[in-house]
Amino acid sequence: MRQQSEIQVTVRGTIIGGPKPLICLPLVGETRAQVLKEAEALSELQPDLLEWRIDAYEKVEDIEDCLSVLNELRTVIHTIPLIFTCRIDREGGMKQISREKRLDLIHEAMMSGDIDIVDTELCNDSAFIADVKKQAQQCGVALILSYHNFKETPSESYIYSKLAEAQTAGADISKVAVMPNDYGDVLTLLRATNKARSELVKCPMVTMSMGPEGAVSRLAGGLFGSDITFAIGVEASAPGQIPIKELRSGMASLYT
């Protein structure tokens, strides 16, 4: 039996950090029509969570338009919990968006009542993170603080420190995603995850090794302490994601 998170997060009746890791599907459409069509298709696959990568949206800097799409999106996905992510460009974001615009957009999305979790990066300045955390608490939105490295896999101690740093900074969920150069790097990520879960990090965690070599971490990461894995529904949001049907089939034998 996998080790559960000591502190669990519940959104719309879905428990993050419980007996089984959850599957999240990303929405990465560029237009309103694409986002909503994608949402309909992904909802039929019955994922545990959905993530709107709004940094892929063509009108991401038009906050009024974004909120309109978000409201329609909530109608389409009904009660599926939604992660709202405006990823910063230097950690894999699809557009360069100013600090002020990202912060305003995140604020408005949280106040809309249509999102359940917001993901923002540890590389943001401390004032930005504190502002998002305060607003999330006021709006009843869970906060993911994340670290992404698309070039390499840092040391086990560095990954461990990032998971701990996110928790210390006020995350409800800590997240780390790294790129392996070989299978040894995948083991580094999994060891760090297991160490963090066993020792210091009490909140739910999301960890993954990206790319083809890291695919096993998306399947078996939950055994080491990761509580959410990302799959492909229509399009991937990061390298190495596995189609949800294949991922769900593989996970069924691991988490019984």
Side-chain angles (χ1 to χ4, degrees):
M1 180 180 295
R2 86 185 199 101
Q3 189 175 356
Q4 298 181 35
S5 173
E6 185 173 315
I7 300 171
Q8 299 177 343
V9 173
T10 301
V11 289
R12 296 186 188 265
T14 296
I15 299 172
I16 303 170
K20 296 181 180 181
L22 306 181
I23 297 176
C24 181
L25 296 179
L27 295 157
V28 293
E30 294 184 9
T31 68
R32 177 187 295 255
Q34 288 172 348
V35 170
L36 297 177
K37 181 179 180 180
E38 195 175 6
E40 289 180 3
L42 298 190
S43 296
E44 291 179 0
L45 297 173
Q46 299 182 321
D48 300 300
L49 305 154
L50 289 169
E51 178 188 35
W52 187 17
R53 281 290 303 272
I54 198 168
D55 52 290
Y57 184 54
E58 64 178 2
K59 296 183 179 180
V60 64
E61 296 194 77
D62 184 338
I63 293 179
E64 184 176 347
D65 183 83
C66 290
L67 293 176
S68 173
V69 176
L70 183 58
N71 184 256
E72 289 186 65
L73 179 59
R74 172 49 65 194
T75 300
V76 170
I77 68 175
H78 302 293
T79 60
I80 299 174
L82 181 64
I83 302 171
F84 183 85
T85 302
C86 186
R87 182 69 66 229
I88 195 169
D89 59 301
R90 67 177 179 268
E91 288 206 6
M94 301 179 199
K95 291 182 178 65
Q96 188 172 14
I97 305 162
S98 72
R99 176 191 187 279
E100 292 71 23
K101 184 66 70 172
R102 283 189 296 112
L103 189 57
D104 288 346
L105 178 58
I106 290 168
H107 273 194
E108 294 295 332
M110 288 193 286
M111 289 190 292
S112 73
D114 291 323
I115 71 171
D116 306 290
I117 303 170
V118 65
D119 180 334
T120 198
E121 305 81 13
L122 278 168
C123 69
N124 287 292
D125 60 81
S126 58
F128 186 103
I129 292 173
D131 198 333
V132 173
K133 177 63 178 177
K134 181 180 179 181
Q135 188 72 35
Q137 290 175 328
Q138 291 176 350
C139 295
V141 173
L143 173 64
I144 297 174
L145 290 178
S146 54
Y147 165 79
H148 306 80
N149 189 324
F150 286 86
K151 295 182 179 179
E152 62 183 358
T153 297
S155 67
E156 179 181 332
S157 61
Y158 188 86
I159 295 171
Y160 178 94
S161 72
K162 283 298 178 183
L163 291 167
E165 180 186 344
Q167 177 177 255
T168 301
D172 298 298
I173 302 168
S174 298
K175 179 184 176 186
V176 166
V178 295
M179 183 65 73
N181 291 312
D182 54 41
Y183 290 109
D185 283 344
V186 181
L187 292 175
T188 297
L189 180 279
L190 295 175
R191 282 195 303 266
T193 303
N194 185 66
K195 181 179 174 67
R197 172 56 71 232
S198 300
E199 295 183 359
L200 183 63
V201 180
K202 308 303 180 184
C203 67
M205 298 188 301
V206 183
T207 69
M208 65 205 72
S209 187
M210 297 182 284
E213 294 88 352
V216 66
S217 71
R218 298 181 182 277
L219 175 66
L223 298 175
F224 298 83
S226 184
D227 296 300
I228 300 173
T229 185
F230 289 76
I232 298 173
V234 176
E235 292 186 43
S237 61
Q241 290 175 354
I242 302 169
I244 185 172
K245 292 181 180 179
E246 296 176 20
L247 184 62
R248 186 174 276 154
S249 176
M251 290 174 65
S253 62
L254 293 177
Y255 308 102
T256 55

